[in-house]
Amino acid sequence: MSKVAIVFWSGTGNTEAMAKAIAEGAKGAGADVDLMGPAEFDAAKAAGYSAIAFGCPSMGSEQLEDMEFEPMWDAVKGSLGGKSVYLFGSYGWGDGEWMRTWESEAPCDVVETYICNGLPGDEESAACRELGAKMAQ
């Protein structure tokens, strides 16, 4: 059984809904899943997971949330080598630039990214569950 982490920050609940759907998909595919906020995750914990999904909505001018999520990301990103890393998040404006920037600047191989405009509906939730199932493999 694979052990996966889903680490997210959500301001309005949209990215949280995505995180929960990803967790459902991973659990449904047989993974042991830990769902947590950025304050609960650090580089030492990263070693215990085969796959990690990081979720953060687009903030400000297409950037990561900078009070909780980005400091955690900066502290752990150097310990992600050899891990299957997934990135996800919601947005309400723009075209997903924050995700393209985040992925291109990640110092690890990102397996997949997924973005959702606003609250995930049935189609977006299904895509999140599929991403979770991939994490479990």
Side-chain angles (χ1 to χ4, degrees):
M1 174 185 304
S2 60
K3 185 166 182 170
V4 303
I6 302 165
V7 184
F8 72 96
W9 184 91
S10 186
T12 63
N14 297 343
T15 300
E16 180 177 13
M18 294 175 76
K20 288 179 178 179
I22 293 168
E24 287 175 20
K27 286 177 185 175
D32 180 13
V33 179
D34 289 330
L35 187 66
M36 65 193 89
E40 302 168 87
F41 193 77
D42 59 29
K45 283 191 176 180
Y49 299 97
S50 57
I52 306 168
F54 292 96
C56 186
S58 173
M59 302 292 292
S61 60
E62 299 252 7
Q63 61 198 42
L64 296 175
E65 189 279 328
D66 64 355
M67 297 298 292
E68 295 178 55
F69 190 87
E70 190 171 28
M72 177 277 306
W73 172 252
D74 288 341
V76 303
K77 64 186 179 183
S79 64
L80 300 175
K83 303 283 179 197
S84 293
V85 175
Y86 299 77
L87 306 177
F88 68 96
S90 63
Y91 66 100
W93 61 90
D95 67 353
E97 178 184 348
W98 103 102
M99 184 59 69
R100 291 189 302 274
T101 302
W102 188 11
E103 180 181 18
S104 71
E105 294 177 357
C108 57
D109 290 329
V110 175
V111 176
E112 188 172 331
T113 66
Y114 186 70
I115 61 174
C116 173
N117 189 328
L119 184 65
D122 292 342
E123 184 178 318
E124 294 85 3
S125 293
C128 288
R129 287 190 293 276
E130 287 177 24
L131 188 146
K134 290 176 187 176
M135 290 180 69
Q137 297 174 356

